[in-house]
Amino acid sequence: MSATGAGLAVRGLAVSYGGVQAVDDVSFTVEPGEIVGLIGPNGAGKTTTIDAISGFTVSRGQVELAGRSLTSAPAHARARAGLVRTFQSVELFDDLSVRQNLAVAALPVRWWGPLVDAVAPRRGRHADVDDALDAVGLLELADARPTDLSHGQRRLVALARALASRPRVVLLDEPAAGLDTDETEALGTLLHTLRDRGIGVLLVDHDMSLVLTTCLRIVVLDFGRVIATGAPDEIRRDPNVVRAYLGSSEANS
Ligand code: ATP
């Protein structure tokens, strides 16, 4: 389905809620190391697309990762296969430190875990946690509690948590929302780091300058359907996209 078969391929994705066709026949790919933007007006179906790809809502169509079909896999199996998402709302465990919040995601709980640890301690996984915190510039806050952090820092911790599980492809739902200028800059740097490490990124965000400057390719949704796919320059000039989205004031809010 995808050009190389190494990344994420979505074909004919469809979700309906009662009479609302929230996502309608959506197809696209995200290759390793590629940042793909998914944009569109409020209610266009962006979050529902992420919900469907990650297995958080019932959908029709096909989802494939690294050549393997995940169409019938539940959400936790998709995450374990390397298809990891973030949410618009940040859910952190306030009783755990920042580092422990990431460790929960990085260390899968399995019955044989303690046995493996006894023979070969999983130092690599703990390194993943600090590495992910370093990538979002928050390593010095590793021992802090989430309640001590700003809203933007909490969002970056949630992002780092998604990275600590060593994803192949991350689905980011409005990661820039609520970030200040410095934090948005840190996010941009992080996105480039992900790209350099060969991780594919699907980026949903209303911050058009972030999307237009970081994405190689952009998919535009309107009323659940893909109305355009192309490079940022093509998308910026596409009359359908300007009419449906870029011409409206919300796009730059
Ligand atoms: P925004 O930019 O505002 O986050 P979006 O592009 O992410 O919007 P979705 O949240 O995916 O859009 O919504 C797509 C459509 O599906 C909308 O018409 C919305 O009202 C509807 N919808 C989303 N979730 C549900 C649900 N759980 N039950 C019923 N309808 C829903």
Side-chain angles (χ1 to χ4, degrees):
M1 250 190 291
S2 66
T4 66
L8 168 70
V10 171
R11 187 160 64 192
L13 202 69
V15 178
S16 50
Y17 293 120
V20 178
Q21 191 69 43
V23 174
D24 190 2
D25 195 21
V26 167
S27 302
F28 59 85
T29 59
V30 180
E31 301 297 340
E34 186 183 30
I35 306 175
V36 176
L38 181 65
I39 63 171
N42 289 329
K46 305 178 296 293
T47 295
T48 306
T49 298
I50 288 186
D51 288 344
I53 296 171
S54 54
F56 280 79
T57 195
V58 177
S59 62
R60 297 185 303 283
Q62 292 156 41
V63 176
E64 189 182 284
L65 185 70
R68 179 181 152 204
S69 173
L70 295 179
T71 302
S72 319
H76 69 270
R78 296 184 192 207
R80 196 170 288 167
L83 189 51
V84 173
R85 69 170 298 177
T86 62
F87 292 86
Q88 277 184 25
S89 59
V90 181
E91 306 289 347
L92 298 177
F93 301 108
D94 287 341
D95 292 337
L96 301 180
S97 71
V98 165
R99 184 182 273 118
Q100 288 166 333
N101 264 277
L102 268 68
V104 170
L107 306 174
V109 180
R110 297 196 175 107
W111 66 266
W112 62 84
L115 298 175
V116 173
D117 272 354
V119 181
R122 290 176 288 180
R123 230 178 270 118
R125 289 290 192 166
H126 292 290
D128 288 344
V129 168
D130 282 9
D131 192 34
L133 279 176
D134 197 26
V136 296
L138 293 180
L139 188 52
E140 76 266 26
L141 293 174
D143 297 317
R145 300 272 162 181
T147 45
D148 296 330
L149 308 183
S150 70
H151 176 71
Q153 288 171 329
R154 288 171 67 90
R155 292 197 70 95
L156 291 173
V157 170
L159 199 51
R161 186 168 59 182
L163 304 182
S165 60
R166 288 198 184 197
R168 284 178 185 274
V169 172
V170 284
L171 313 171
L172 303 181
D173 198 356
E174 300 201 23
L179 299 191
D180 66 23
T181 313
D182 287 347
E183 289 162 348
T184 304
E185 206 171 295
L187 174 64
T189 307
L190 170 69
L191 291 171
H192 289 122
T193 305
L194 297 180
R195 183 196 60 195
D196 295 345
R197 291 183 186 181
I199 296 171
V201 178
L202 182 70
L203 174 65
V204 168
D205 215 283
H206 285 290
D207 184 332
M208 273 307 103
S209 90
L210 178 72
V211 172
L212 291 168
T213 55
T214 53
C215 294
L216 202 62
R217 209 150 45 84
I218 297 174
V219 177
V220 188
L221 288 184
D222 193 25
F223 293 108
R225 296 189 70 92
V226 176
I227 59 165
T229 303
D233 272 352
E234 295 168 316
I235 293 300
R236 210 190 304 237
R237 290 194 307 264
D238 187 308
N240 287 333
V241 178
V242 171
R243 190 163 42 242
Y245 185 51
L246 293 181
S248 66
S249 55
E250 72 173 307
N252 301 308
S253 63

